[in-house]
Amino acid sequence: MTGQRKFDDQRMEYIMGRLLQAGVMLASVVVLVGGILYVRDHAAAPMNYRIFVSEPAFLRHPGQLFRHLAAGDGAAIVQFGILLLIATPIARVVFAVIGFAIEHDRLYVAVSVFVLMVLMVSLLYLS
Amino acid sequence: MHLELFTVLIFGGAVIAGLLGALTGLGGGVVLVPLLTVLFHVDIRYAIGASLVSVIATSSGAAAAYVREGFSSVRIGMFLEMATTVGAIFGAFLAGRVPTRALAMIFGVVLIYSAWLSWQQSRRKQEVDHPESPWSDRLRLSGSYPDGCGGEQHYKVDRITAGFATMFGAGTLSGLLGIGSGAVKVLAMDQVMRIPFKVSTTTSNFMIGVTAAASAGIYLHRGYVDPGLAFPVMLGVLIGSLVGAKYLVRAQVSLLRTIFTLVILALGVEMIVNGWVGKL
């Protein structure tokens, strides 16, 4: 050992914690910026959430979201921040796959890959 | 009501929900959905979408604090996430097919159950020796945590199949109602699998974000996530929960728990009544 810290479960957890924190910070900043723009754009508009109307298509599909993002649309920026937020726990699972691979723990590489695949099924629903 | 005022009021409510959720360990979502539907007359589908987003934010935001303590177990978490993520997708699938009145009533039942668990927790007994499953070592679920005196306390888990099934239920509820269902996750680990309480609660918190992410894509696609609502809710709950976690050690938890138990009990009854008469 050349002063390099041993990679074990505790180390993995520490890195995961930092990863999650950074993701939430980034997502929060994006959501805040988008939210301020959204309120400015829709100021003094009456609110009604009593009746459910599904969100417009561009807020539901990432492909179309990015076009509105470039135009500086507040709602699109908030939705993009939310996508970043959803990506954060997924990044943690990706990191678990790598971490367990470093530990040569095949059982838990398989477990993490399974969880990752379930998350992907849910996300594929988006496209 | 105009957008600025509405946004400010929602934000304030979300801060309080996050604060209470963190101080009692039940999470912000459980107060948020009834708050939005009963008080602000928001359609329960919008409330669920916004709540789910805030659940991911708080679980991930609080992660670092728990990580430093070294109680949570990545293996137990990842192993049980196989059940919670599949459950969450199933729950989100159900949510599109269950009428909103039924959703409100199910939510009410979950609230009352959470109140009962919360009340039980304040009078829990000391841990005793328990049987352990031979699979605990084979699945590498056994672990250890700091005992507070510089040493390590080892533990093994029991009733893995039953715990796994309960976790599937927790995931389904999370996907169906847009909550973290931390109370059910802790129940599965602490009561069913006999995992030490500190390990159960911190691992549960770690798992909540991944469980919620499994159904978030489906909700986003269905148009349940409204940016105007999700924005103040997510930031409010996040701030509230971070402040709450900071003062958790100093707060008078027993008094808070009693008040909170009564509040969610009342909200639970309200949700059931509103669902029954069709007001939501």
Side-chain angles (χ1 to χ4, degrees):
Chain A
M1 288 283 144
T2 54
Q4 194 188 2
R5 260 190 282 185
K6 200 176 93 217
F7 190 90
D8 56 11
D9 283 7
Q10 209 134 5
R11 179 105 188 103
M12 180 166 17
E13 244 163 51
Y14 178 81
I15 299 171
M16 277 176 176
R18 289 285 170 212
L19 189 76
L20 291 174
Q21 244 188 348
V24 172
M25 283 287 281
L26 182 67
S28 301
V29 170
V30 173
V31 166
L32 180 66
V33 171
I36 291 168
L37 287 176
Y38 179 87
V39 172
R40 197 198 59 187
D41 293 347
H42 297 75
M47 291 319 304
N48 198 350
Y49 288 107
R50 196 186 284 262
I51 296 146
F52 179 76
V53 189
S54 181
E55 296 303 312
F58 83 89
L59 292 178
R60 295 192 277 126
H61 302 282
Q64 298 173 44
L65 184 68
F66 288 119
R67 249 173 285 143
H68 283 81
L69 207 58
D73 183 279
I77 296 173
V78 172
Q79 269 348 44
F80 176 64
I82 289 169
L83 281 180
L84 286 176
L85 187 70
I86 298 172
T88 303
I90 298 173
R92 139 154 143 66
V93 178
V94 171
F95 180 72
V97 175
I98 299 166
F100 287 125
I102 295 173
E103 290 189 26
H104 301 291
D105 188 335
R106 279 198 203 153
L107 174 66
Y108 275 85
V109 169
V111 166
S112 312
V113 166
F114 178 86
V115 174
L116 190 62
M117 276 164 55
V118 175
L119 290 171
M120 286 303 144
V121 166
S122 156
L123 277 190
L124 285 181
Y125 211 94
L126 271 175
S127 50
Chain B
M1 202 187 295
H2 287 256
L3 184 69
E4 295 98 326
L5 179 63
F6 181 78
T7 305
V8 169
L9 286 178
I10 294 278
F11 178 78
V15 170
I16 293 167
L19 199 64
L20 285 174
L23 285 174
T24 53
L26 286 170
V30 103
V31 212
L32 198 73
V33 175
L35 183 85
L36 288 176
T37 51
V38 174
L39 218 66
F40 289 99
H41 303 293
V42 170
D43 184 282
I44 194 165
R45 283 164 287 194
Y46 283 133
I48 287 173
S51 166
L52 198 69
V53 169
S54 76
V55 163
I56 304 178
T58 46
S59 163
S60 306
Y66 292 114
V67 159
R68 248 179 273 123
E69 299 172 23
F71 286 108
S72 55
S73 159
V74 267
R75 273 159 219 270
I76 294 176
M78 197 56 76
F79 180 77
L80 295 173
E81 270 161 16
M82 292 197 291
T84 61
T85 48
V86 173
I89 290 185
F90 177 62
F93 169 82
L94 280 183
R97 280 152 189 82
V98 173
T100 52
R101 288 177 58 180
L103 276 182
M105 285 162 68
I106 297 169
F107 204 103
V109 172
V110 171
L111 280 173
I112 292 172
Y113 173 71
S114 301
W116 183 73
L117 270 188
S118 171
W119 176 73
Q120 279 248 308
Q121 228 179 65
S122 56
R123 17 176 294 154
R124 49 183 292 113
K125 281 174 276 169
Q126 210 50 41
E127 277 164 39
V128 285
D129 276 341
H130 59 81
E132 55 210 30
S133 162
W135 282 93
S136 178
D137 284 334
R138 255 176 271 176
L139 292 171
R140 292 172 214 165
L141 295 172
S142 308
S144 62
Y145 65 94
D147 62 3
C149 318
E152 289 277 306
Q153 179 78 43
H154 290 272
Y155 61 86
K156 292 191 175 195
V157 307
D158 191 27
R159 291 187 287 194
I160 295 167
T161 317
F164 206 74
T166 314
M167 277 296 173
F168 177 82
T172 306
L173 276 182
S174 171
L176 184 65
L177 302 173
I179 54 175
S181 59
V184 187
K185 287 192 175 80
V186 171
L187 170 93
M189 286 190 269
D190 172 60
Q191 299 285 319
V192 180
M193 300 175 81
R194 311 273 183 191
I195 298 168
F197 189 65
K198 278 257 181 184
V199 179
S200 299
T201 48
T202 52
T203 305
S204 157
N205 182 77
F206 228 55
M207 293 174 64
I208 283 170
V210 175
T211 310
S215 49
I218 298 171
Y219 279 133
L220 207 63
H221 177 78
R222 280 208 198 117
Y224 283 22
V225 181
D226 181 86
L229 196 62
F231 144 66
V233 164
M234 173 196 153
L235 297 178
V237 173
L238 186 61
I239 291 168
S241 69
L242 290 178
V243 172
K246 209 172 170 183
Y247 289 99
L248 186 57
V249 261
R250 271 185 272 166
Q252 281 248 305
V253 177
S254 60
L255 175 69
L256 263 169
R257 197 183 286 282
T258 310
I259 298 169
F260 190 68
T261 304
L262 293 174
V263 169
I264 55 177
L265 197 65
L267 285 171
V269 172
E270 177 109 40
M271 292 282 290
I272 292 176
V273 170
N274 282 349
W276 188 264
V277 298
K279 259 175 70 185
L280 287 176

